[in-house]
Amino acid sequence: MKKLILKISEYKLVFISVAFLVIFSVGCVKKEENGIKIGAILTLTGDTAKYGENVKKGIELALQETNASGGIKGKILKVLYEDSKADPKVAVSAFQKLVTIDKVQIILGPMSSSEVLAVSPLAEKMKIIIFTPTASAPSITNAGDYIFRNVTSDVFEGEALALFTFNDLKLKKVAIIYINNDYGIGLRDSFKNKFENLGGKIIEMESFEQSSTDMKSQISKIKAAKPEAVFIVGYIEMGIILKQASELGLKTQFLSCNMFEDPEILRIAGGISNGVYYTYRLFETKSTEKIVNNFVEKYKLIYRSEPDIFSALGYDAMKILGHAMEKEGFTAGEVKQAIYSIQNLPTVTGSISFDNNGDVLQSMGIKVVKDGRFIWYKRIR
């Protein structure tokens, strides 16, 4: 990627410009009676708050770009944020507040599959768009006509990893340890079904609760089964699982999912994380594609850090909704019609299309940890 080189004075100019842009945008929202309000339900506190904060940063960058260029059809956009705390009940309350008090018709989020499944019946009944950038459980496919996502279903991710494990790694006996929620169960089942259909065998399955810190009992059972590989599904707990597996002497190939690309997991796990293969969407900050390069450079200027997949998905989600509103209009019905019609739209996470279930169709790949770094191993187009 071309490096961005600025003198200190130029940095000051950039940040002054950004500050002016934010103030200008807020001022326009207050004065513009016909401005458009969009809701957002994100995880902003709790164990998974960093994911929500990064999604929010991506949304805000896309929002600033849109409003700086005149908004949508001359209307300034504003996002009203609610914190779900990753709790389905809180997500439902946030949904009701945004719809009944703030009168929004379009909501970005929620983030977890359990939250989306909790609010979907209400959204469908009230004809409110739910557009989640991160919830991937297979059951969301049939959650309703107003439910969309720009993250691929766990069906595609689980099947991609199963194919890689069976065909590329030539492994036939796998154990699974997974987080006991809709996300973990969805990936467990999609991997298991595809792997067994290929001729492989799942010889042990163990679950754990979110935020667990002791998985030694589950790991001991997996060790006794003598698997050729262990598929781990979770969040930050995956670092603890690897560390405790090492302590218990479980030496095998480890596999994981998109959530594994987290420096904190590597910090917790230490050297045992080297050699872990995991699925990942085709987003990379060092891409030479103009759309990605522009996003990464602007993000780094504003936030002084490099974007991750959550920032990218949040940015894309806001851009996709803006594209839909520009094409058809601002009501939930118009936005719904426009999203269904999207085919091969360029985004920072790759070209995307939507199927008739509101699921995004997009490629992914396999990455591996090598010398404490996340690197590409195989891109699946």
Side-chain angles (χ1 to χ4, degrees), residues 5 9 32 40 45 49 104 115 134 145 149 160 163 194 203 205 219 222 260 281 298 349 356:
I5 302 174
S9 60
E32 177 57 71
T45 56
V104 304
E115 294 173 80
T134 54
D145 199 32
R149 53 182 165 185
L163 284 164
K194 185 64 175 181
I203 59 175
M205 293 197 301
I219 295 169
I222 287 173
F260 193 81
R281 289 162 188 95
K298 289 179 182 178
T349 57
N356 56 10

Side-chain angles (χ1 to χ4, degrees), residues 22-37 67 75-78 80:
V22 173
I23 293 170
F24 175 77
S25 297
V26 172
C28 287
V29 169
K30 289 181 179 178
K31 294 179 180 179
E32 177 57 71
E33 294 182 359
N34 294 321
I36 302 301
K37 294 186 295 186
N67 286 339
K75 296 180 185 294
I76 296 299
L77 302 184
K78 182 179 181 180
L80 307 178

Side-chain angles (χ1 to χ4, degrees), residues 177-376:
I177 181 167
Y178 63 96
I179 190 167
N180 187 28
N181 61 16
D182 289 297
Y183 172 64
I185 293 169
L187 262 179
R188 176 201 70 184
D189 289 346
S190 61
F191 177 89
K192 177 179 182 293
N193 293 339
K194 185 64 175 181
F195 191 67
E196 290 180 338
N197 286 340
L198 291 169
K201 185 176 181 181
I202 302 300
I203 59 175
E204 186 70 35
M205 293 197 301
E206 296 291 331
S207 66
F208 60 89
E209 299 304 316
Q210 186 170 340
S211 302
S212 294
T213 57
D214 185 357
M215 278 73 77
K216 290 181 180 178
S217 175
Q218 296 96 316
I219 295 169
S220 294
K221 292 178 183 177
I222 287 173
K223 181 182 177 183
K226 298 181 179 180
E228 295 176 323
V230 177
F231 176 33
I232 310 172
V233 185
Y235 306 124
I236 197 67
E237 308 91 354
M238 294 190 288
I240 301 172
I241 290 171
L242 286 174
K243 181 180 179 181
Q244 293 178 351
S246 178
E247 292 169 352
L248 293 172
L250 174 56
K251 297 179 180 179
T252 189
Q253 175 65 59
F254 290 99
L255 312 166
S256 194
C257 52
N258 180 76
M259 296 298 296
F260 193 81
E261 187 155 312
D262 183 340
E264 183 65 12
I265 290 176
L266 300 193
R267 187 193 67 78
I268 295 170
I272 194 174
S273 60
N274 284 317
V276 175
Y277 292 102
Y278 62 98
T279 45
Y280 203 70
R281 289 162 188 95
L282 296 184
F283 168 72
E284 51 187 316
T285 57
K286 293 179 174 57
S287 171
T288 56
E289 293 185 25
K290 185 177 180 180
I291 187 172
V292 181
N293 187 264
N294 288 343
F295 164 68
V296 172
E297 292 191 353
K298 289 179 182 178
Y299 189 97
K300 289 168 71 174
L301 276 174
I302 295 174
Y303 301 115
R304 307 301 295 272
S305 63
E306 198 165 80
D308 64 4
I309 187 63
F310 293 95
S311 309
L313 288 169
Y315 178 87
D316 280 350
M318 186 69 248
K319 286 290 189 178
I320 292 166
L321 288 177
H323 171 85
M325 288 185 283
E326 188 71 57
K327 183 177 181 181
E328 294 291 344
F330 301 101
T331 69
E334 289 168 333
V335 171
K336 179 186 75 168
Q337 180 180 340
I339 295 174
Y340 275 126
S341 70
I342 290 176
Q343 296 294 315
N344 302 316
L345 178 70
T347 73
V348 299
T349 57
S351 176
I352 67 170
S353 302
F354 287 88
D355 67 13
N356 56 10
N357 292 310
D359 275 345
V360 69
L361 303 175
Q362 197 171 30
S363 302
M364 63 173 53
I366 303 293
K367 297 185 80 171
V368 64
V369 180
K370 185 176 181 180
D371 298 325
R373 296 182 299 114
F374 303 110
I375 64 173
W376 281 106

